[in-house]
Amino acid sequence: MRLSLCMIVKDEENMLEECLALARPHVDEIVIVDTGSSDRTPEIIERYADRGAEFAWRDDFAAARNYAISQASGDWLLVLDADERIESKGFDVLREEITQAPLKALALEVRDYSDDALQPDWLPLKEPTPYARAMRGYVAMPVLRLFRRDAGLSFRGRIHELVTPPDGPGSLGHSAAIIHHYHDADPSKPQHERQAHYLRILEEELKQRPEGRLHVAAGIACMYHVHNYPRAVWHYEQALAQGYHPEKTQEGLAEALYRAGELEAARVQYEALMDAGYRSLAACLNLANLSVKSGQSAKALEYLQLARERCPVGTSLHHTIDHNIRHLKARQGA
């Protein structure tokens, strides 16, 4: 079973070589499509790739990825980005899985490392690992990145593109290998600039494909990167109306309302989540802040204590929560 690594890149001189150096001993073919680099990326491609090609960029990630996989000749196709890594033992696992499993595709866990404990689904690391790069935790997501070339699978979506899973029982499996992702590691590509560019493509894609998943992605970009909070509210409302991950989407809506200055509307959304049994660290902290603003120190203390239970011990955020709890208790005692 021959394994082809397929990639699309643009201006990745800071990230690409490490990814390829790790992969080269473990794959039979490397196919890299350059969508318009102006740095040293083409030199790196020439050193590592068995097949390099160019693709005229047209704001369509799926089109570029599908062109890349069309250039591959392996039995199985593995898709990675330049800021992603698979360690040697992970490649050994993949090799065994594609040899033994009668499947058409495998989903791999992508671990997006960060120190941001307020992210939804953020998990603290039980112990440090070299691939965490000193980060304290990660958000994990299964993504279909490995599939048979003869399965006829392809990417769809101009941005946040996905492979549609194959039909039939026993067609899709889950790999034990992990993709380590470092989305903010390249200093030459500031996150805010990238997200503003992605948002423009998202808004265009949503005109043709108004999916809840894409509305949430646009809401995140609006809220954290371009700071258009009313627009973020609108995107989260659209996603919620479509029933996309209702609790997480409602939490996003609540935070967007909070940042937009609609404090009462934000409080209503957060308390509805609490009534439904939803208890994220960010929701508890924001409700504590809203309670302080409305003069409800007893409620604020209750939410802070819930937040402390969910915050990794030893972090600066945990110390801040402890400090605020002591401060509120002192005020109540006075």
Side-chain angles (χ1 to χ4, degrees):
M1 287 292 176
R2 296 182 68 250
L3 177 61
S4 296
L5 170 61
C6 303
M7 305 179 70
I8 62 171
V9 298
K10 181 180 179 181
D11 294 334
E12 294 288 359
E13 67 178 8
N14 293 324
M15 301 296 292
L16 180 59
E17 187 157 14
E18 182 185 21
C19 175
L20 296 176
L22 285 168
R24 179 71 276 182
H26 305 285
V27 299
D28 301 293
E29 180 183 53
I30 294 178
V31 176
I32 306 179
V33 169
D34 192 341
T35 62
S37 293
S38 58
D39 63 0
R40 292 177 47 255
T41 296
E43 300 172 27
I44 299 170
I45 293 173
E46 187 174 353
R47 286 203 303 273
Y48 285 92
D50 299 287
R51 186 171 301 184
E54 294 182 357
F55 185 84
W57 182 245
R58 54 176 189 258
D59 286 349
D60 190 330
F61 284 91
R65 290 207 190 277
N66 289 333
Y67 180 71
I69 64 178
S70 75
Q71 303 300 301
S73 63
D75 301 292
W76 283 80
L77 310 179
L78 171 66
V79 177
L80 291 178
D81 286 330
D83 59 357
E84 295 175 334
R85 310 285 183 263
I86 295 179
E87 54 193 304
S88 293
K89 66 179 182 181
F91 276 110
D92 292 339
V93 167
L94 289 183
R95 280 290 189 182
E96 184 175 353
E97 289 171 339
I98 65 175
T99 301
Q100 297 182 357
L103 300 168
K104 294 181 179 178
L106 286 164
L108 281 74
E109 178 182 300
V110 177
R111 290 188 177 179
D112 191 355
Y113 292 96
S114 81
D115 286 327
D116 186 3
L118 294 175
Q119 281 185 280
D121 300 322
W122 187 87
L123 298 170
L125 280 166
K126 295 179 181 178
E127 58 185 31
T129 72
Y131 282 89
R133 298 192 173 181
M135 298 293 180
R136 290 179 173 268
Y138 60 91
V139 175
M141 178 181 297
V143 181
L144 202 169
R145 292 288 196 86
L146 181 63
F147 46 92
R148 294 185 64 100
R149 186 167 59 89
D150 61 10
L153 303 181
S154 61
F155 286 86
R156 67 179 182 90
R158 283 186 287 181
I159 189 166
H160 294 295
E161 65 284 3
L162 294 173
V163 176
T164 302
D167 294 328
S171 294
L172 176 64
H174 291 270
S175 173
I178 294 169
I179 296 175
H180 305 280
H181 181 218
Y182 313 103
H183 72 278
D184 243 353
D186 188 349
S188 71
K189 295 186 174 183
Q191 180 82 324
H192 292 314
E193 291 181 13
R194 279 185 290 145
Q195 290 298 326
H197 172 64
Y198 295 161
L199 178 60
R200 180 179 58 79
I201 304 175
L202 271 169
E203 297 276 14
E204 288 299 316
E205 180 75 347
L206 280 164
K207 294 175 183 177
Q208 306 297 323
R209 193 160 56 97
E211 294 181 3
R213 178 178 68 92
L214 298 182
H215 275 297
V216 166
I220 290 170
C222 286
M223 183 156 61
Y224 296 114
H225 301 290
V226 303
H227 310 300
N228 186 340
Y229 304 126
R231 188 64 176 169
V233 168
W234 183 83
H235 278 298
Y236 280 115
E237 287 175 339
Q238 302 309 304
L240 196 58
Q242 294 184 28
Y244 180 76
H245 290 286
E247 290 182 332
K248 293 177 187 174
T249 300
Q250 188 173 359
E251 182 179 10
L253 172 60
E255 184 174 346
L257 288 165
Y258 190 177
R259 290 172 179 252
E262 300 184 39
L263 303 188
E264 180 58 23
R267 184 190 62 78
V268 168
Q269 295 292 339
Y270 277 127
E271 289 190 346
L273 284 168
M274 289 287 171
D275 291 342
Y278 186 81
R279 301 281 191 279
S280 77
L281 174 57
C284 293
L285 285 175
N286 285 341
L287 262 175
N289 289 334
L290 287 166
S291 298
V292 169
K293 289 177 184 295
S294 61
Q296 297 176 298
S297 58
K299 271 190 170 294
L301 184 58
E302 175 187 341
Y303 291 130
L304 280 175
Q305 288 168 335
L306 286 172
R308 182 170 60 179
E309 294 171 6
R310 286 154 179 77
C311 186
V313 176
T315 61
S316 59
L317 181 56
H318 193 272
H319 294 313
T320 299
I321 293 171
D322 272 344
H323 170 79
N324 290 338
I325 287 173
R326 290 194 299 270
H327 179 67
L328 277 177
K329 285 183 175 179
R331 283 177 57 185
Q332 287 181 342

